[in-house]
Amino acid sequence: MTKDECKQVVLDIIADIAPDEDLSNVKPEVRLRDQLQLDSMDFLDIVMELRKRHSIEVPEADYQHLASLDSCAEYLTPKFIALAAKG
Amino acid sequence: MNTRNHYDVAIIGAGMSGLAAGIRLAHFGKKVCIFERHNATGGLNSFYSIGGRKFDVGLHALTNFVRPGVKGTPLTKLLRQLRIDRSEFALCEQKQSRVTFGPNGETSLRFTNDFAFLENEVATQFPKEIDGFRALVAAIKNYDDVSLDVVPVSARAVVRTHITDALLEDMLFCPVMYYGSAQEHDMEFGQFVIMFKALFLEGFARPFDGVRVILRVLLEKYRQAGGERRMKCGVRKILAQEGRATAVVLDSGEEITATHIISSIGAPETERLVGLTPEVAPLEAGRLSFVETISILKCQPAALGWGSDTIVFFNDSARFDYACPQEALDTRSGVICLPNNFAYGADQFLPEGIFRVTCLARYDHWAPLQEEVYQAQKIRCFSEVQNSARRFLPSVRDAALAEAVITTDMFTPRTITKFTGHIGGAIYGAPIKHRQGRTPLENVYLCGTDQGFLGIIGAMLSGISMANFHILQKNQ
């Protein structure tokens, strides 16, 4: 999994939980909350969908790493790679 | 259906809140079952058929309506959380509603789904109060109404810091109380804020086919997510050990074990299942109950001159008295609903006219009546309710109305208890709400009426919030 693929995973999840948001111009370095209308319920759903779809666990203390697409990729890509290695 | 297995979550009640909680939990892989005593879903907001005709109960209008593109409101949160596309609810907006006070409705405040319309009405009818009204609205907008830990404040006290005219104060409280207050005379300010936003800052809408459209969508989502549901299968007892529930006992005697239990049936009603309160005296559980008359007309209400109002909140007295009546009912105030008067689109008309009127009623004047006396009282009260309401609508001769009526029905406090199990016919549950949904048992949580988010959107958000807060967020 590359970082770009990882960003796409997150974007796909957001597209499903917030279909009323326009995701065509999401800036990867800007906080998601600052460019999209996402509240704490939506962030809970990003975490829950990561677990449901990809078996990725994000403990509550690490929610801050999901702030922007870039930080998501930094934080999640190694988790995806580790998971794939376990296979 | 496999019923012997253990459930992650057992939900008591297939009303709006229980279904919403179920959808969330099932979507995220929990093994969930909803137990419902009746054969119909929806609880307080349901429908029934008599003679092939469907009658809606509960829902006059879906509150909290916002147009597509408006975000961050209860309706949009709900749609996202339940993965519902707003087109599935097929909501049609109200035309116009009003609050009308005085023996013959001398003062009226009209409102639509555009808040500026109401603001203008206040400015015209109460010019001295408009600045205070605007300040109140600002306070409402800034209030954090979804916080799960709030300090209760009197809504009357807060409103009076902004508004000095008692008539305007009562006119604002009337719709807000009728559509959600479990408390007499006053409300907790947070509850007032939720309802004020739901009714005035957001608005009214209705699916063309009424409440069953919403229920159908919820049931389908729940089924797709893998949730189980057992109808005609009430829970009569919750078994507990050392402060934790271990199982529910069904009416049939069957025992079902579950890790968590979410109860939508009300706080005192849930405690009764646990056996903590042996018998709660009805009037302590919550006192406010209603009667509703329903007349089915062979014409559209517009043909009688009743074409412009969607909902009318009326009161004929010097002050608005939202309280449990001393007698069987209190027809001084009430709510008229004309479901035909939503903007369904050109050439879309409900096949028959519907004229509904709701008034406050007293449970213990209805509950003990012998069947024949009960039926006679229903007939007498029906006319009393309708005649009171008609004072606030354009005048129609008795003979003309009688000629238009195909059939009628009426629900009473007794009906509410029969179909919801609420003690004392308490339509909005107990006056004390439990925002965090906690009960004396650590793995039993409340959702719905007694958790305290109001209206049907509130009910669904309550189920969502409690499922999130107690189970999903904690990864339990």
Side-chain angles (χ1 to χ4, degrees):
Chain A
M1 159 111 19
T2 66
K3 285 185 179 172
D4 279 342
E5 284 167 342
C6 185
K7 287 175 197 172
Q8 194 54 48
V9 162
V10 174
L11 276 176
D12 288 346
I13 289 175
I14 296 174
D16 287 342
I17 64 175
D20 47 339
E21 292 290 336
D22 177 7
L23 302 180
S24 53
N25 287 308
V26 177
K27 296 187 184 69
E29 70 286 3
V30 177
R31 279 160 42 103
L32 289 164
R33 239 182 231 276
D34 294 342
Q35 47 187 335
L36 301 172
Q37 196 128 42
L38 297 179
D39 64 12
S40 54
M41 280 177 152
D42 298 316
F43 277 91
L44 171 66
D45 272 20
I46 296 175
V47 172
M48 299 290 303
E49 292 290 349
L50 280 167
R51 181 192 300 151
K52 180 180 171 179
R53 299 180 191 188
H54 305 286
S55 306
I56 296 279
E57 293 290 340
V58 182
E60 205 169 340
D62 290 352
Y63 282 11
Q64 46 174 331
H65 296 298
L66 304 181
S68 70
L69 281 184
D70 279 344
S71 68
C72 281
E74 287 299 325
Y75 174 74
L76 295 173
T77 311
K79 284 184 176 266
F80 274 106
I81 292 169
L83 200 70
K86 260 203 267 173
Chain B
M1 199 177 292
N2 189 342
T3 56
R4 269 172 301 181
N5 280 356
H6 174 86
Y7 287 101
D8 294 324
V9 189
I11 297 175
I12 308 175
M16 300 280 177
S17 66
L19 286 167
I23 293 170
R24 288 289 294 169
L25 294 164
H27 177 81
F28 288 117
K30 301 293 175 193
K31 190 171 158 55
V32 192
C33 189
I34 300 181
F35 298 92
E36 168 59 53
R37 179 161 282 144
H38 291 277
N39 54 4
T41 53
L44 192 57
N45 292 284
S46 191
F47 61 94
Y48 57 94
S49 300
I50 297 179
R53 187 174 274 112
K54 289 193 175 74
F55 292 84
D56 272 11
V57 273
L59 185 86
H60 278 177
L62 182 136
T63 58
N64 299 94
F65 176 82
V66 289
R67 299 194 180 118
V70 179
K71 291 172 193 163
T73 76
L75 177 63
T76 44
K77 281 178 206 268
L78 162 94
L79 295 172
R80 281 187 183 186
Q81 288 275 301
L82 300 184
R83 313 287 191 263
I84 293 170
D85 186 298
R86 63 178 293 142
S87 66
E88 294 178 70
F89 282 166
L91 296 172
C92 304
E93 295 192 48
Q94 67 163 326
K95 285 184 179 168
Q96 184 181 294
S97 296
R98 73 193 145 97
V99 189
T100 185
F101 272 42
N104 295 295
E106 284 80 355
T107 310
S108 276
L109 287 176
R110 294 171 303 159
F111 62 99
T112 64
N113 289 353
D114 291 302
F115 186 71
F117 190 98
L118 173 64
E119 200 177 10
N120 186 52
E121 287 278 290
V122 173
T124 313
Q125 310 279 335
F126 298 93
K128 289 184 186 146
E129 299 286 341
I130 186 63
D131 293 336
F133 178 75
R134 290 196 177 117
L136 171 65
V137 172
I140 286 168
K141 285 182 174 167
N142 290 326
Y143 190 83
D144 178 11
D145 54 4
V146 288
S147 162
L148 295 182
D149 23 37
V150 280
V151 184
V153 192
S154 152
R156 289 274 189 183
V158 177
V159 170
R160 280 174 197 153
T161 62
H162 301 290
I163 286 173
T164 52
D165 189 323
L167 176 60
L168 177 59
E169 176 192 326
D170 279 353
M171 288 180 85
L172 296 175
F173 270 95
C174 175
V176 165
M177 287 178 143
Y178 259 107
Y179 272 9
S181 180
Q183 198 187 328
E184 297 179 289
H185 310 298
D186 197 355
M187 313 169 68
E188 190 272 304
F189 184 60
Q191 302 277 106
F192 178 84
V193 167
I194 291 177
M195 288 311 288
F196 189 94
K197 287 182 178 171
L199 271 60
F200 299 128
L201 289 166
E202 294 157 22
F204 295 157
R206 181 182 186 272
F208 182 74
D209 282 324
V211 70
R212 57 189 174 276
V213 175
I214 294 163
L215 287 171
R216 205 153 55 205
V217 171
L218 295 179
L219 287 171
E220 184 55 17
K221 295 280 164 192
Y222 182 60
R223 193 190 60 77
Q224 282 171 356
E228 294 176 39
R229 178 161 68 92
R230 290 180 65 183
M231 307 301 287
K232 294 185 112 168
C233 214
V235 170
R236 72 165 192 226
K237 201 169 168 40
I238 295 174
L239 302 178
Q241 253 173 17
E242 291 164 11
R244 283 185 68 85
T246 53
V248 294
V249 182
L250 306 182
D251 288 337
S252 63
E254 186 185 350
E255 282 185 26
I256 305 276
T257 62
T259 311
H260 303 275
I261 296 169
I262 296 185
S263 170
S264 69
I265 64 171
E269 292 82 356
T270 303
E271 289 195 10
R272 198 167 53 173
L273 290 186
V274 182
L276 290 177
T277 38
E279 256 326 305
V280 183
L283 288 187
E284 286 168 10
R287 302 161 56 87
L288 290 157
S289 196
F290 294 153
V291 292
E292 182 165 76
T293 64
I294 304 165
S295 305
I296 304 294
L297 312 172
K298 62 181 163 198
C299 59
Q300 296 292 311
L304 299 172
W306 297 348
S308 45
D309 294 307
T310 307
I311 316 271
V312 180
F313 300 89
F314 64 85
N315 174 51
D316 69 9
S317 301
R319 290 305 304 256
F320 168 55
D321 193 14
Y322 187 76
C324 181
Q326 293 305 312
E327 306 301 322
L329 76 167
D330 178 354
T331 57
R332 291 175 298 163
S333 70
V335 188
I336 300 164
C337 172
L338 297 161
N340 303 77
N341 296 341
F342 285 83
Y344 296 120
D347 305 326
Q348 266 226 306
F349 298 100
L350 296 180
E352 296 172 327
I354 306 171
F355 171 41
R356 294 168 63 177
V357 187
T358 306
C359 286
L360 287 158
R362 186 181 177 92
Y363 176 78
D364 56 8
H365 275 236
W366 292 88
L369 300 180
Q370 297 281 327
E371 189 59 25
E372 310 86 79
V373 185
Y374 174 67
Q375 293 302 338
Q377 176 155 310
K378 262 173 94 166
I379 293 169
R380 194 171 59 248
C381 289
F382 188 98
S383 328
E384 232 180 278
V385 167
Q386 277 215 333
N387 291 340
S388 177
R390 282 169 60 198
R391 297 176 294 165
F392 303 91
L393 290 172
S395 149
V396 172
R397 284 181 305 108
D398 289 348
L401 181 60
E403 161 70 17
V405 172
I406 303 171
T407 184
T408 63
D409 197 27
M410 179 171 183
F411 78 66
T412 73
R414 196 151 130 168
T415 328
I416 296 169
T417 293
K418 184 172 165 197
F419 286 97
T420 67
H422 285 186
I423 296 169
I427 197 139
Y428 297 130
I432 298 161
K433 300 302 179 193
H434 304 260
R435 267 309 164 86
Q436 299 202 338
R438 293 191 201 284
T439 71
L441 298 179
E442 62 175 305
N443 58 338
V444 179
Y445 325 107
L446 300 174
C447 73
T449 322
D450 280 351
Q451 188 267 327
F453 292 169
L454 305 170
I456 76 162
I457 298 292
M460 289 185 261
L461 273 182
S462 168
I464 292 167
S465 304
M466 293 299 103
N468 287 354
F469 181 62
H470 292 292
I471 300 172
L472 297 176
Q473 227 163 319
K474 294 175 183 158
N475 190 17
Q476 287 191 330

